[in-house]
């Protein structure tokens, strides 16, 4: 076997290089996906615990608001010298109704401000052109 033929056998072809590069990229992407999955499992577990704790705190806050509401109604009643207890409870109820209506009004105004991500959509439409080599 001549020296030129031995060097030629050792040199990879373009097809072999493309095949190796494709295989390496595929392996890299698979490993990245596995890493992302493992990190996501840990994050989801921690996030689930956090959400559970927030829900427990929200439930206790609702109970506290109920107790505060009763206390305010009794304060309005004040040993029977003020309004009757049923009127005091209705005043507190009406106050919460007004606050809820105000929150709904502000929430509706905020939702009406929501717009589609127009710049991102425009850039997304450019991707196929860029992949085809057009600008």
């Amino acid at each position: 076997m001549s020296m030129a033929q031995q060097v030629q056998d050792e040199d990879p072809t373009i097809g072999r290089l493309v095949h190796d590069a494709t295989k390496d990229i595929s392996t890299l992407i698979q490993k990245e996906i596995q890493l992302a999955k493992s990190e996501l499992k840990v994050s989801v577990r921690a996030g689930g615990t956090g959400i559970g704790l927030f829900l427990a705190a929200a439930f206790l806050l609702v109970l506290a608001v109920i107790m505060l509401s009763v206390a305010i109604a009794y304060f309005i009643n004040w040993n029977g010298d003020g309004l009757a207890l049923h009127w005091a409870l209705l005043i507190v109820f009406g106050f919460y109704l007004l606050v809820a209506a105000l929150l709904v009004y502000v929430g509706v105004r905020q939702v009406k401000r929501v717009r589609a991500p127009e710049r991102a959509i425009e850039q997304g439409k450019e991707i196929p052109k860029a992949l085809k080599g057009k600008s």
Side-chain angles (χ1 to χ4, degrees):
M1 185 183 281
S2 71
M3 184 72 158
Q5 189 177 15
Q6 188 178 18
V7 170
Q8 190 177 19
D9 288 343
E10 290 176 6
D11 287 343
T13 63
I14 292 177
R16 180 71 182 160
L17 290 173
V18 170
H19 173 69
D20 289 346
T22 303
K23 191 173 93 176
D24 291 345
I25 290 172
S26 176
T27 303
L28 178 65
I29 290 173
Q30 287 174 355
K31 296 296 181 185
E32 287 294 327
I33 290 172
Q34 287 176 353
L35 176 63
K37 282 181 181 179
S38 66
E39 287 178 352
L40 196 58
K41 284 180 185 177
V42 171
S43 294
V44 166
R45 198 173 298 132
T49 303
I51 288 172
L53 292 172
F54 282 131
L55 289 175
F59 176 72
L60 291 175
L61 187 61
V62 167
L63 293 179
V65 167
I66 292 170
M67 293 304 296
L68 178 66
S69 301
V70 171
I72 291 170
Y74 272 102
F75 180 75
I76 293 172
N77 179 258
W78 199 261
N79 290 332
D81 294 340
L83 292 174
L85 186 58
H86 63 280
W87 289 114
L89 289 168
L90 282 173
I91 289 170
V92 173
F93 171 75
F95 172 74
Y96 283 131
L97 230 74
L98 287 173
V99 170
L102 178 66
L103 291 174
V104 167
Y105 173 73
V106 171
V108 167
R109 289 190 59 189
Q110 291 295 321
V111 168
K112 285 183 179 180
R113 288 183 173 178
V114 174
R115 303 263 187 256
E118 295 165 5
R119 288 192 310 173
I121 291 170
E122 287 300 318
Q123 287 180 354
K125 289 179 182 177
E126 298 295 321
I127 291 174
K129 293 178 188 174
L131 290 175
K132 292 178 183 176
K134 302 174 186 174
S135 53

